[in-house]
Structures are given as C-alpha cells and as structure tokens.
Amino acid sequence: MQHRPAILALEDGRVFNGRAAGAITRRGGEVVFNTSLTGYQEVFTDPSYAGQIVCLTYPHIGNVGANLDDQESARPYIESLVVREFSQISSNWRSAETTQLYLNRHKIPVIWDIDTRALVLHLRKVGALRGVVATDGTPAEQLIFEAKQLPSMAGQELASRVSCEKTYKWDTGSIDFVSSPWSEQMGESGDDQEERKLRVVAYDYGIKQNILRLLVDHHCEVAVVPAQTKAEDVLAMGADGVFLSNGPGDPEPATYAVEGIRELLGKIPLFGICLGHQLCGLALGGKTFKLKFGHHGANHPVKNLLTDQVEITSQNHGFCVDPDSLPSSEVEVTHLNLNDHTNEGLRHKSLPLFSVQYHPEASPGPHDSHYLFTQFTDLMKEFAQPGSSRR
C-alpha cells in the first residue's frame, strides 16, 4: 500500500517528514503535546485546543474509531493531529466510523510515522512552537515561512470565537447518556427528586459537554450562555450559581469576561475551571503568564492544600495564574501542581467564589476531582439560605 507523504514544519526550521492521513490540506497553529493514554476523540473535540496542533504521546491512535457519544463538542477543534502510529481501521463495538473518515470529514490533516518522542523532547527544551502540517505536497521551505507568519497564542482572544451563538438549555446527565458506574458510589445520581433543582448559568468560553452532564448529575438545571453575555443579564435569569468554563487562548485579552466576573462577585456563587479559573484570577486582581509548553494530559498530580490529599488530574492549558500576584488578604491558594509547583486552584476568603486550573469533569481522565461539583452545589445551597453570612 502506497502512502502519501506529510510534513510538519516548525517556526524554528525543524522539519519532520511522515505519512499523511485525514484530510488533504495544510493547517497551522501552536504545536503542543498531550500525554493522555486514552480518550483521543475527547481531545480532538475539546474547544480549548482551538488554534493548536496536537501531538499525542501515546503511540497507537485511531484503533477504536469515532462515535457521537465521545464528543465533547459538535466538531473537532484541533488544527491537526501528530501521532506515531495511526490506525485507519477501527475495531470497537461503539465505533460509528473510522478515525480516518471522521477527521477527513472535518477537514483535519494527520501526520504519522514520525518520531513523536523527538518532537516532544524538542518542545520541552525550547517551548511550544508555531507549526504547519501539510498533507497536500507543499514544500518544507514554504511551510516554515508560513509557520513564522502565524499569530502567537499569547495575546489571542479565542473564547468568543468558539462560544455558542445563543443561550440554550442542557438537561442530559451522564446517567442518561451512558452507563456511569461511578455515579452512585460518588453520590452523583441525585437521589432526592423532591428537592428543588439548583439553577446554574454556565458561561461558554469553549465548554466541554461532560461538564454539563456532571452538573445535571448533581441535580442542576443548566442554561448555557454565550461568552459575552453581560452579568446583569445572567443575574436576571434567577440562577443559584454561575459556572465559568474552560476555553482556548490567552485570558488577558478577554476583558469582557473579567469585567463580568467582577460584577457577579459576591452576588452569586461562582465556580471556574481552566480558562474560567484564569479569568477569576484576573478579576481578583492577579496576573497570568504563559507556560513554556503547557499542561496537557490526564495524569498530572495536584495537591489539595486544604485536605493534604493528592489528586491525579486531567489538564489542558497553556497559561497560568501567578499566585504571588493575588491579594493574599482576600484570596487563598487551594491547589498546587506537584510537577512544577504552579497554581492549580484558588478561593475567595469571604465571598462565594472558587476555581481550579485543571479539568474535574475529566473527559478523558481519572475521576479524583468530581467532588468539586458537589462543593459547588453545597456552596449554592449555603448561599441561598436566609440570613446566610455569604449573602
């Protein structure tokens, strides 16, 4: 069988030659690597990867195909895929189509049969780089030139580009969606059907569907609103709490979101993850900075400083909150990354706000951090109590 050639060209002139799969095209973006062992379709469809080419370090990708159930959004958001071995056939009872057909249908190019270890070592040494993947025969010199012309991820406001266009309701839980063996043991089945459901407004900065499913599992009525929805409009919806989602790009240019969080602060419980966490840090007076090559994977250890327990977490972010920039009189650091000691969580000392940098919905990933959704519902119930000190 004859294979088409493909090229990955980086802005610093490094070139990787391999075989092509997926669509016949070329796409550029920031090249990052993800260390997850499973869940490649969830990675493809995570809107936080908008503007990025993803190299998966697990060597064999594509063998279980693709299906509608494993999507975290309506389509893939990665610019391109880089893998060691790419299976163009699938063998799994849940597979609806091959990964090749799935990526080709969404116009995503794939380069495979390259030394992904060499690529990852290069990115760890020099940091995330702009690059272009071509499966259309474009020469390497042209691709290097095009990579240099791509915008840097720093300074890009991408949340409003991937957000929904209008408000919608979400009512599907993980129990309705698929058989969820951990639901009962983790108290996520919402047994008390007599209790009034908590109303949550979720800001869509690039939200993943498993977040919405877990909110429903925790007995919440969920309304998803576009990223640029004004705080006054959210308060007018009569919600019990506001969720601030994950998303792509640099948090600092998303000034509309930072201003909105400041307006909501103290008026309603707030829970943010990933980009939502970074926006909370900025709204509380802190600063953010770009990591050298980011945290992408489902196996990152994080210490909960409030309980001294370690969680294995799922992560996908390239920016981070500087804990030293936060006002210590008002904000408490709650979680710490054990790999590089960067900030992974914070909470306001007197107002109902907390956030984490990692992905507690963990799709893909371990379920160590599902307790944070219970923490959010408990905070909403406490805030709703008459005479609550938090009101």
mmCIF file of all heavy atoms in Angstrom, residues 49-98:
data_model
loop_
_atom_site.group_PDB
_atom_site.id
_atom_site.type_symbol
_atom_site.label_atom_id
_atom_site.label_comp_id
_atom_site.label_asym_id
_atom_site.label_seq_id
_atom_site.Cartn_x
_atom_site.Cartn_y
_atom_site.Cartn_z
ATOM 1 N N TYR A 49 -8.550 23.417 22.512
ATOM 2 C CA TYR A 49 -7.450 23.179 21.574
ATOM 3 C C TYR A 49 -7.568 24.010 20.299
ATOM 4 O O TYR A 49 -6.807 23.793 19.357
ATOM 5 C CB TYR A 49 -7.373 21.696 21.207
ATOM 6 C CG TYR A 49 -6.679 20.847 22.239
ATOM 7 C CD1 TYR A 49 -7.366 19.846 22.918
ATOM 8 C CD2 TYR A 49 -5.337 21.052 22.554
ATOM 9 C CE1 TYR A 49 -6.735 19.059 23.874
ATOM 10 C CE2 TYR A 49 -4.698 20.279 23.501
ATOM 11 C CZ TYR A 49 -5.399 19.293 24.157
ATOM 12 O OH TYR A 49 -4.769 18.532 25.106
ATOM 13 N N ALA A 50 -8.505 24.937 20.251
ATOM 14 C CA ALA A 50 -8.623 25.789 19.073
ATOM 15 C C ALA A 50 -7.297 26.519 18.837
ATOM 16 O O ALA A 50 -6.695 27.054 19.760
ATOM 17 C CB ALA A 50 -9.749 26.805 19.258
ATOM 18 N N GLY A 51 -6.836 26.486 17.600
ATOM 19 C CA GLY A 51 -5.577 27.160 17.261
ATOM 20 C C GLY A 51 -4.338 26.342 17.548
ATOM 21 O O GLY A 51 -3.225 26.864 17.451
ATOM 22 N N GLN A 52 -4.497 25.048 17.873
ATOM 23 C CA GLN A 52 -3.342 24.230 18.233
ATOM 24 C C GLN A 52 -3.267 22.938 17.431
ATOM 25 O O GLN A 52 -4.285 22.323 17.103
ATOM 26 C CB GLN A 52 -3.376 23.897 19.733
ATOM 27 C CG GLN A 52 -3.173 25.125 20.621
ATOM 28 C CD GLN A 52 -3.189 24.775 22.084
ATOM 29 O OE1 GLN A 52 -3.997 23.980 22.540
ATOM 30 N NE2 GLN A 52 -2.304 25.393 22.853
ATOM 31 N N ILE A 53 -2.042 22.542 17.104
ATOM 32 C CA ILE A 53 -1.732 21.238 16.534
ATOM 33 C C ILE A 53 -1.353 20.330 17.702
ATOM 34 O O ILE A 53 -0.495 20.688 18.511
ATOM 35 C CB ILE A 53 -0.572 21.335 15.531
ATOM 36 C CG1 ILE A 53 -1.000 22.150 14.309
ATOM 37 C CG2 ILE A 53 -0.074 19.960 15.121
ATOM 38 C CD1 ILE A 53 0.161 22.518 13.390
ATOM 39 N N VAL A 54 -1.993 19.176 17.810
ATOM 40 C CA VAL A 54 -1.798 18.313 18.974
ATOM 41 C C VAL A 54 -1.003 17.065 18.602
ATOM 42 O O VAL A 54 -1.393 16.311 17.704
ATOM 43 C CB VAL A 54 -3.147 17.909 19.599
ATOM 44 C CG1 VAL A 54 -2.919 16.962 20.781
ATOM 45 C CG2 VAL A 54 -3.911 19.144 20.053
ATOM 46 N N CYS A 55 0.095 16.855 19.320
ATOM 47 C CA CYS A 55 0.858 15.615 19.228
ATOM 48 C C CYS A 55 0.472 14.741 20.416
ATOM 49 O O CYS A 55 0.610 15.159 21.568
ATOM 50 C CB CYS A 55 2.362 15.908 19.265
ATOM 51 S SG CYS A 55 3.393 14.427 19.435
ATOM 52 N N LEU A 56 -0.045 13.546 20.134
ATOM 53 C CA LEU A 56 -0.394 12.597 21.189
ATOM 54 C C LEU A 56 0.806 11.690 21.449
ATOM 55 O O LEU A 56 1.330 11.061 20.529
ATOM 56 C CB LEU A 56 -1.612 11.767 20.795
ATOM 57 C CG LEU A 56 -2.912 12.559 20.609
ATOM 58 C CD1 LEU A 56 -4.030 11.645 20.131
ATOM 59 C CD2 LEU A 56 -3.316 13.258 21.895
ATOM 60 N N THR A 57 1.249 11.631 22.718
ATOM 61 C CA THR A 57 2.443 10.843 23.032
ATOM 62 C C THR A 57 2.151 9.347 23.085
ATOM 63 O O THR A 57 3.073 8.545 22.932
ATOM 64 C CB THR A 57 3.054 11.282 24.374
ATOM 65 O OG1 THR A 57 2.106 11.069 25.426
ATOM 66 C CG2 THR A 57 3.429 12.754 24.340
ATOM 67 N N TYR A 58 0.875 8.969 23.324
ATOM 68 C CA TYR A 58 0.553 7.537 23.266
ATOM 69 C C TYR A 58 0.732 7.090 21.819
ATOM 70 O O TYR A 58 0.213 7.723 20.905
ATOM 71 C CB TYR A 58 -0.868 7.273 23.762
ATOM 72 C CG TYR A 58 -1.153 5.800 23.908
ATOM 73 C CD1 TYR A 58 -0.627 5.097 24.988
ATOM 74 C CD2 TYR A 58 -1.905 5.117 22.965
ATOM 75 C CE1 TYR A 58 -0.868 3.727 25.126
ATOM 76 C CE2 TYR A 58 -2.143 3.756 23.095
ATOM 77 C CZ TYR A 58 -1.619 3.066 24.176
ATOM 78 O OH TYR A 58 -1.837 1.727 24.303
ATOM 79 N N PRO A 59 1.447 5.996 21.571
ATOM 80 C CA PRO A 59 1.926 5.717 20.202
ATOM 81 C C PRO A 59 0.881 5.242 19.200
ATOM 82 O O PRO A 59 1.047 5.448 18.000
ATOM 83 C CB PRO A 59 2.986 4.639 20.417
ATOM 84 C CG PRO A 59 2.621 3.978 21.701
ATOM 85 C CD PRO A 59 2.036 5.057 22.551
ATOM 86 N N HIS A 60 -0.203 4.592 19.661
ATOM 87 C CA HIS A 60 -1.130 3.979 18.712
ATOM 88 C C HIS A 60 -2.497 4.639 18.851
ATOM 89 O O HIS A 60 -3.167 4.484 19.875
ATOM 90 C CB HIS A 60 -1.233 2.472 18.985
ATOM 91 C CG HIS A 60 -1.942 1.720 17.906
ATOM 92 N ND1 HIS A 60 -1.410 1.544 16.650
ATOM 93 C CD2 HIS A 60 -3.146 1.104 17.889
ATOM 94 C CE1 HIS A 60 -2.251 0.844 15.901
ATOM 95 N NE2 HIS A 60 -3.318 0.564 16.634
ATOM 96 N N ILE A 61 -2.924 5.368 17.827
ATOM 97 C CA ILE A 61 -4.144 6.171 17.883
ATOM 98 C C ILE A 61 -5.070 5.805 16.721
ATOM 99 O O ILE A 61 -4.614 5.603 15.596
ATOM 100 C CB ILE A 61 -3.807 7.679 17.827
ATOM 101 C CG1 ILE A 61 -2.961 8.079 19.033
ATOM 102 C CG2 ILE A 61 -5.072 8.530 17.722
ATOM 103 C CD1 ILE A 61 -3.655 7.930 20.375
ATOM 104 N N GLY A 62 -6.358 5.760 16.991
ATOM 105 C CA GLY A 62 -7.342 5.557 15.934
ATOM 106 C C GLY A 62 -8.009 4.202 15.936
ATOM 107 O O GLY A 62 -8.976 3.985 15.205
ATOM 108 N N ASN A 63 -7.516 3.263 16.748
ATOM 109 C CA ASN A 63 -7.976 1.882 16.645
ATOM 110 C C ASN A 63 -9.393 1.653 17.143
ATOM 111 O O ASN A 63 -10.020 0.654 16.781
ATOM 112 C CB ASN A 63 -7.008 0.941 17.381
ATOM 113 C CG ASN A 63 -6.787 1.367 18.819
ATOM 114 O OD1 ASN A 63 -6.383 2.497 19.082
ATOM 115 N ND2 ASN A 63 -7.037 0.474 19.749
ATOM 116 N N VAL A 64 -9.943 2.544 17.976
ATOM 117 C CA VAL A 64 -11.326 2.359 18.433
ATOM 118 C C VAL A 64 -12.307 3.207 17.642
ATOM 119 O O VAL A 64 -13.497 3.261 17.960
ATOM 120 C CB VAL A 64 -11.482 2.635 19.946
ATOM 121 C CG1 VAL A 64 -10.669 1.651 20.755
ATOM 122 C CG2 VAL A 64 -11.094 4.065 20.288
ATOM 123 N N GLY A 65 -11.832 3.895 16.604
ATOM 124 C CA GLY A 65 -12.722 4.660 15.745
ATOM 125 C C GLY A 65 -13.270 5.904 16.412
ATOM 126 O O GLY A 65 -12.665 6.466 17.320
ATOM 127 N N ALA A 66 -14.442 6.339 15.940
ATOM 128 C CA ALA A 66 -15.075 7.548 16.464
ATOM 129 C C ALA A 66 -16.577 7.305 16.584
ATOM 130 O O ALA A 66 -17.154 6.486 15.880
ATOM 131 C CB ALA A 66 -14.800 8.731 15.540
ATOM 132 N N ASN A 67 -17.202 8.033 17.518
ATOM 133 C CA ASN A 67 -18.652 7.920 17.707
ATOM 134 C C ASN A 67 -19.195 9.232 18.245
ATOM 135 O O ASN A 67 -18.443 10.102 18.689
ATOM 136 C CB ASN A 67 -18.988 6.761 18.651
ATOM 137 C CG ASN A 67 -18.404 6.964 20.030
ATOM 138 O OD1 ASN A 67 -18.851 7.811 20.782
ATOM 139 N ND2 ASN A 67 -17.379 6.183 20.367
ATOM 140 N N LEU A 68 -20.489 9.400 18.223
ATOM 141 C CA LEU A 68 -21.107 10.638 18.691
ATOM 142 C C LEU A 68 -21.042 10.785 20.204
ATOM 143 O O LEU A 68 -20.982 11.896 20.723
ATOM 144 C CB LEU A 68 -22.569 10.702 18.232
ATOM 145 C CG LEU A 68 -22.802 10.872 16.729
ATOM 146 C CD1 LEU A 68 -24.287 10.799 16.405
ATOM 147 C CD2 LEU A 68 -22.221 12.197 16.233
ATOM 148 N N ASP A 69 -21.020 9.667 20.938
ATOM 149 C CA ASP A 69 -21.066 9.726 22.393
ATOM 150 C C ASP A 69 -19.812 10.333 23.009
ATOM 151 O O ASP A 69 -19.871 10.942 24.077
ATOM 152 C CB ASP A 69 -21.262 8.318 22.976
ATOM 153 C CG ASP A 69 -22.641 7.764 22.687
ATOM 154 O OD1 ASP A 69 -23.480 8.522 22.161
ATOM 155 O OD2 ASP A 69 -22.873 6.577 22.973
ATOM 156 N N ASP A 70 -18.659 10.157 22.366
ATOM 157 C CA ASP A 70 -17.398 10.600 22.956
ATOM 158 C C ASP A 70 -17.013 12.023 22.570
ATOM 159 O O ASP A 70 -15.929 12.487 22.918
ATOM 160 C CB ASP A 70 -16.273 9.644 22.553
ATOM 161 C CG ASP A 70 -16.383 8.299 23.254
ATOM 162 O OD1 ASP A 70 -17.137 8.213 24.241
ATOM 163 O OD2 ASP A 70 -15.736 7.340 22.821
ATOM 164 N N GLN A 71 -17.883 12.716 21.881
ATOM 165 C CA GLN A 71 -17.575 14.093 21.510
ATOM 166 C C GLN A 71 -17.792 15.029 22.694
ATOM 167 O O GLN A 71 -18.780 14.921 23.410
ATOM 168 C CB GLN A 71 -18.446 14.549 20.332
ATOM 169 C CG GLN A 71 -18.180 13.796 19.057
ATOM 170 C CD GLN A 71 -18.772 14.481 17.839
ATOM 171 O OE1 GLN A 71 -18.149 14.524 16.793
ATOM 172 N NE2 GLN A 71 -19.975 15.020 17.972
ATOM 173 N N GLU A 72 -16.880 15.965 22.884
ATOM 174 C CA GLU A 72 -17.028 16.993 23.911
ATOM 175 C C GLU A 72 -17.645 18.272 23.348
ATOM 176 O O GLU A 72 -17.956 19.197 24.086
ATOM 177 C CB GLU A 72 -15.669 17.297 24.548
ATOM 178 C CG GLU A 72 -15.189 16.226 25.499
ATOM 179 C CD GLU A 72 -16.118 16.035 26.688
ATOM 180 O OE1 GLU A 72 -16.669 17.027 27.197
ATOM 181 O OE2 GLU A 72 -16.329 14.878 27.099
ATOM 182 N N SER A 73 -17.800 18.322 22.038
ATOM 183 C CA SER A 73 -18.469 19.427 21.361
ATOM 184 C C SER A 73 -18.908 18.907 20.003
ATOM 185 O O SER A 73 -18.695 17.732 19.674
ATOM 186 C CB SER A 73 -17.536 20.636 21.220
ATOM 187 O OG SER A 73 -16.384 20.279 20.485
ATOM 188 N N ALA A 74 -19.499 19.763 19.205
ATOM 189 C CA ALA A 74 -20.108 19.307 17.962
ATOM 190 C C ALA A 74 -19.101 18.923 16.884
ATOM 191 O O ALA A 74 -19.446 18.234 15.927
ATOM 192 C CB ALA A 74 -21.043 20.385 17.422
ATOM 193 N N ARG A 75 -17.844 19.337 17.040
ATOM 194 C CA ARG A 75 -16.845 19.067 15.999
ATOM 195 C C ARG A 75 -15.448 19.084 16.610
ATOM 196 O O ARG A 75 -15.260 19.590 17.727
ATOM 197 C CB ARG A 75 -16.928 20.120 14.897
ATOM 198 C CG ARG A 75 -16.549 21.546 15.350
ATOM 199 C CD ARG A 75 -16.526 22.500 14.186
ATOM 200 N NE ARG A 75 -16.205 23.866 14.574
ATOM 201 C CZ ARG A 75 -14.978 24.357 14.667
ATOM 202 N NH1 ARG A 75 -13.929 23.567 14.446
ATOM 203 N NH2 ARG A 75 -14.765 25.621 15.010
ATOM 204 N N PRO A 76 -14.445 18.580 15.898
ATOM 205 C CA PRO A 76 -13.059 18.704 16.385
ATOM 206 C C PRO A 76 -12.587 20.158 16.314
ATOM 207 O O PRO A 76 -12.950 20.886 15.383
ATOM 208 C CB PRO A 76 -12.252 17.828 15.416
ATOM 209 C CG PRO A 76 -13.244 16.988 14.698
ATOM 210 C CD PRO A 76 -14.505 17.767 14.662
ATOM 211 N N TYR A 77 -11.780 20.557 17.287
ATOM 212 C CA TYR A 77 -11.226 21.913 17.292
ATOM 213 C C TYR A 77 -9.720 21.933 17.077
ATOM 214 O O TYR A 77 -9.133 22.994 16.890
ATOM 215 C CB TYR A 77 -11.573 22.627 18.602
ATOM 216 C CG TYR A 77 -12.956 23.224 18.577
ATOM 217 C CD1 TYR A 77 -14.060 22.476 18.979
ATOM 218 C CD2 TYR A 77 -13.178 24.526 18.133
ATOM 219 C CE1 TYR A 77 -15.333 23.005 18.945
ATOM 220 C CE2 TYR A 77 -14.445 25.071 18.094
ATOM 221 C CZ TYR A 77 -15.518 24.308 18.504
ATOM 222 O OH TYR A 77 -16.789 24.840 18.462
ATOM 223 N N ILE A 78 -9.063 20.769 17.122
ATOM 224 C CA ILE A 78 -7.631 20.757 16.848
ATOM 225 C C ILE A 78 -7.379 21.184 15.406
ATOM 226 O O ILE A 78 -8.200 20.937 14.511
ATOM 227 C CB ILE A 78 -7.012 19.364 17.107
ATOM 228 C CG1 ILE A 78 -7.648 18.299 16.192
ATOM 229 C CG2 ILE A 78 -7.133 18.981 18.568
ATOM 230 C CD1 ILE A 78 -6.949 16.955 16.235
ATOM 231 N N GLU A 79 -6.238 21.826 15.164
ATOM 232 C CA GLU A 79 -5.891 22.224 13.799
ATOM 233 C C GLU A 79 -5.372 21.027 13.010
ATOM 234 O O GLU A 79 -5.624 20.892 11.819
ATOM 235 C CB GLU A 79 -4.835 23.333 13.831
ATOM 236 C CG GLU A 79 -5.310 24.631 14.467
ATOM 237 C CD GLU A 79 -6.428 25.289 13.690
ATOM 238 O OE1 GLU A 79 -6.481 25.132 12.456
ATOM 239 O OE2 GLU A 79 -7.262 25.961 14.328
ATOM 240 N N SER A 80 -4.628 20.165 13.697
ATOM 241 C CA SER A 80 -4.053 18.998 13.047
ATOM 242 C C SER A 80 -3.645 18.004 14.123
ATOM 243 O O SER A 80 -3.560 18.349 15.311
ATOM 244 C CB SER A 80 -2.849 19.391 12.189
ATOM 245 O OG SER A 80 -2.318 18.280 11.513
ATOM 246 N N LEU A 81 -3.373 16.759 13.687
ATOM 247 C CA LEU A 81 -3.004 15.692 14.610
ATOM 248 C C LEU A 81 -1.647 15.115 14.229
ATOM 249 O O LEU A 81 -1.379 14.876 13.046
ATOM 250 C CB LEU A 81 -4.061 14.592 14.576
ATOM 251 C CG LEU A 81 -3.797 13.344 15.425
ATOM 252 C CD1 LEU A 81 -3.806 13.693 16.916
ATOM 253 C CD2 LEU A 81 -4.834 12.266 15.125
ATOM 254 N N VAL A 82 -0.803 14.894 15.248
ATOM 255 C CA VAL A 82 0.517 14.307 15.052
ATOM 256 C C VAL A 82 0.613 13.064 15.933
ATOM 257 O O VAL A 82 0.433 13.148 17.152
ATOM 258 C CB VAL A 82 1.634 15.301 15.447
ATOM 259 C CG1 VAL A 82 3.013 14.699 15.188
ATOM 260 C CG2 VAL A 82 1.477 16.629 14.710
ATOM 261 N N VAL A 83 0.873 11.890 15.324
ATOM 262 C CA VAL A 83 0.951 10.646 16.094
ATOM 263 C C VAL A 83 2.048 9.740 15.545
ATOM 264 O O VAL A 83 2.521 9.919 14.425
ATOM 265 C CB VAL A 83 -0.393 9.877 16.099
ATOM 266 C CG1 VAL A 83 -1.467 10.660 16.802
ATOM 267 C CG2 VAL A 83 -0.826 9.526 14.688
ATOM 268 N N ARG A 84 2.434 8.739 16.356
ATOM 269 C CA ARG A 84 3.440 7.770 15.917
ATOM 270 C C ARG A 84 2.839 6.755 14.960
ATOM 271 O O ARG A 84 3.338 6.552 13.859
ATOM 272 C CB ARG A 84 4.034 7.054 17.150
ATOM 273 C CG ARG A 84 5.077 5.994 16.804
ATOM 274 C CD ARG A 84 6.337 6.623 16.240
ATOM 275 N NE ARG A 84 7.322 5.611 15.839
ATOM 276 C CZ ARG A 84 7.405 5.089 14.625
ATOM 277 N NH1 ARG A 84 6.552 5.462 13.672
ATOM 278 N NH2 ARG A 84 8.331 4.207 14.342
ATOM 279 N N GLU A 85 1.759 6.104 15.398
ATOM 280 C CA GLU A 85 1.068 5.140 14.547
ATOM 281 C C GLU A 85 -0.405 5.518 14.460
ATOM 282 O O GLU A 85 -1.043 5.746 15.492
ATOM 283 C CB GLU A 85 1.194 3.719 15.118
ATOM 284 C CG GLU A 85 2.601 3.165 15.124
ATOM 285 C CD GLU A 85 2.656 1.754 15.696
ATOM 286 O OE1 GLU A 85 1.567 1.185 15.937
ATOM 287 O OE2 GLU A 85 3.752 1.247 15.909
ATOM 288 N N PHE A 86 -0.938 5.571 13.256
ATOM 289 C CA PHE A 86 -2.330 5.943 13.041
ATOM 290 C C PHE A 86 -3.065 4.777 12.388
ATOM 291 O O PHE A 86 -2.699 4.337 11.289
ATOM 292 C CB PHE A 86 -2.423 7.183 12.150
ATOM 293 C CG PHE A 86 -3.826 7.700 11.970
ATOM 294 C CD1 PHE A 86 -4.469 8.374 12.990
ATOM 295 C CD2 PHE A 86 -4.505 7.489 10.777
ATOM 296 C CE1 PHE A 86 -5.762 8.839 12.831
ATOM 297 C CE2 PHE A 86 -5.805 7.952 10.608
ATOM 298 C CZ PHE A 86 -6.432 8.633 11.640
ATOM 299 N N SER A 87 -4.079 4.276 13.075
ATOM 300 C CA SER A 87 -4.837 3.145 12.553
ATOM 301 C C SER A 87 -5.971 3.645 11.668
ATOM 302 O O SER A 87 -6.827 4.403 12.118
ATOM 303 C CB SER A 87 -5.417 2.312 13.703
ATOM 304 O OG SER A 87 -6.222 1.271 13.205
ATOM 305 N N GLN A 88 -5.968 3.201 10.420
ATOM 306 C CA GLN A 88 -7.023 3.617 9.505
ATOM 307 C C GLN A 88 -8.189 2.624 9.499
ATOM 308 O O GLN A 88 -9.129 2.788 8.725
ATOM 309 C CB GLN A 88 -6.448 3.820 8.108
ATOM 310 C CG GLN A 88 -5.357 4.890 8.112
ATOM 311 C CD GLN A 88 -5.053 5.457 6.746
ATOM 312 O OE1 GLN A 88 -5.903 5.502 5.872
ATOM 313 N NE2 GLN A 88 -3.822 5.903 6.564
ATOM 314 N N ILE A 89 -8.120 1.606 10.353
ATOM 315 C CA ILE A 89 -9.261 0.720 10.581
ATOM 316 C C ILE A 89 -9.621 0.808 12.062
ATOM 317 O O ILE A 89 -8.801 1.218 12.896
ATOM 318 C CB ILE A 89 -8.956 -0.745 10.194
ATOM 319 C CG1 ILE A 89 -7.780 -1.282 11.039
ATOM 320 C CG2 ILE A 89 -8.651 -0.865 8.714
ATOM 321 C CD1 ILE A 89 -7.540 -2.771 10.844
ATOM 322 N N SER A 90 -10.853 0.459 12.398
ATOM 323 C CA SER A 90 -11.269 0.518 13.796
ATOM 324 C C SER A 90 -11.915 -0.804 14.191
ATOM 325 O O SER A 90 -12.508 -1.500 13.362
ATOM 326 C CB SER A 90 -12.265 1.657 14.022
ATOM 327 O OG SER A 90 -13.434 1.472 13.246
ATOM 328 N N SER A 91 -11.797 -1.132 15.468
ATOM 329 C CA SER A 91 -12.391 -2.363 15.982
ATOM 330 C C SER A 91 -12.883 -2.104 17.397
ATOM 331 O O SER A 91 -12.146 -2.224 18.373
ATOM 332 C CB SER A 91 -11.358 -3.501 15.986
ATOM 333 O OG SER A 91 -11.920 -4.679 16.515
ATOM 334 N N ASN A 92 -14.143 -1.672 17.499
ATOM 335 C CA ASN A 92 -14.758 -1.415 18.798
ATOM 336 C C ASN A 92 -16.265 -1.415 18.612
ATOM 337 O O ASN A 92 -16.768 -0.880 17.623
ATOM 338 C CB ASN A 92 -14.287 -0.063 19.354
ATOM 339 C CG ASN A 92 -14.808 0.178 20.764
ATOM 340 O OD1 ASN A 92 -15.919 0.659 20.949
ATOM 341 N ND2 ASN A 92 -13.999 -0.157 21.750
ATOM 342 N N TRP A 93 -16.976 -1.984 19.567
ATOM 343 C CA TRP A 93 -18.438 -2.106 19.419
ATOM 344 C C TRP A 93 -19.136 -0.752 19.395
ATOM 345 O O TRP A 93 -20.251 -0.623 18.886
ATOM 346 C CB TRP A 93 -19.006 -2.995 20.521
ATOM 347 C CG TRP A 93 -18.914 -2.416 21.909
ATOM 348 C CD1 TRP A 93 -17.868 -2.503 22.764
ATOM 349 C CD2 TRP A 93 -19.936 -1.687 22.596
ATOM 350 N NE1 TRP A 93 -18.148 -1.854 23.945
ATOM 351 C CE2 TRP A 93 -19.420 -1.350 23.870
ATOM 352 C CE3 TRP A 93 -21.235 -1.285 22.264
ATOM 353 C CZ2 TRP A 93 -20.154 -0.624 24.806
ATOM 354 C CZ3 TRP A 93 -21.956 -0.556 23.203
ATOM 355 C CH2 TRP A 93 -21.422 -0.241 24.467
ATOM 356 N N ARG A 94 -18.479 0.305 19.912
ATOM 357 C CA ARG A 94 -19.099 1.628 19.933
ATOM 358 C C ARG A 94 -18.730 2.466 18.704
ATOM 359 O O ARG A 94 -19.242 3.563 18.531
ATOM 360 C CB ARG A 94 -18.672 2.369 21.198
ATOM 361 C CG ARG A 94 -19.126 1.676 22.480
ATOM 362 C CD ARG A 94 -18.564 2.336 23.721
ATOM 363 N NE ARG A 94 -19.105 3.678 23.895
ATOM 364 C CZ ARG A 94 -18.369 4.772 23.952
ATOM 365 N NH1 ARG A 94 -17.058 4.695 23.819
ATOM 366 N NH2 ARG A 94 -18.936 5.942 24.125
ATOM 367 N N SER A 95 -17.839 1.962 17.862
ATOM 368 C CA SER A 95 -17.363 2.739 16.726
ATOM 369 C C SER A 95 -18.460 2.937 15.676
ATOM 370 O O SER A 95 -19.092 1.981 15.232
ATOM 371 C CB SER A 95 -16.158 2.044 16.084
ATOM 372 O OG SER A 95 -15.732 2.762 14.943
ATOM 373 N N ALA A 96 -18.663 4.201 15.274
ATOM 374 C CA ALA A 96 -19.627 4.520 14.224
ATOM 375 C C ALA A 96 -18.935 4.747 12.888
ATOM 376 O O ALA A 96 -19.544 4.588 11.832
ATOM 377 C CB ALA A 96 -20.437 5.759 14.610
ATOM 378 N N GLU A 97 -17.663 5.150 12.931
ATOM 379 C CA GLU A 97 -16.870 5.344 11.718
ATOM 380 C C GLU A 97 -15.400 5.295 12.099
ATOM 381 O O GLU A 97 -15.045 5.427 13.267
ATOM 382 C CB GLU A 97 -17.212 6.664 11.023
ATOM 383 C CG GLU A 97 -16.911 7.907 11.850
ATOM 384 C CD GLU A 97 -17.322 9.193 11.140
ATOM 385 O OE1 GLU A 97 -17.185 9.275 9.908
ATOM 386 O OE2 GLU A 97 -17.772 10.121 11.825
ATOM 387 N N THR A 98 -14.532 5.112 11.115
ATOM 388 C CA THR A 98 -13.109 5.089 11.409
ATOM 389 C C THR A 98 -12.634 6.499 11.760
ATOM 390 O O THR A 98 -13.251 7.500 11.370
ATOM 391 C CB THR A 98 -12.292 4.579 10.212
ATOM 392 O OG1 THR A 98 -12.422 5.517 9.123
ATOM 393 C CG2 THR A 98 -12.747 3.197 9.779
#
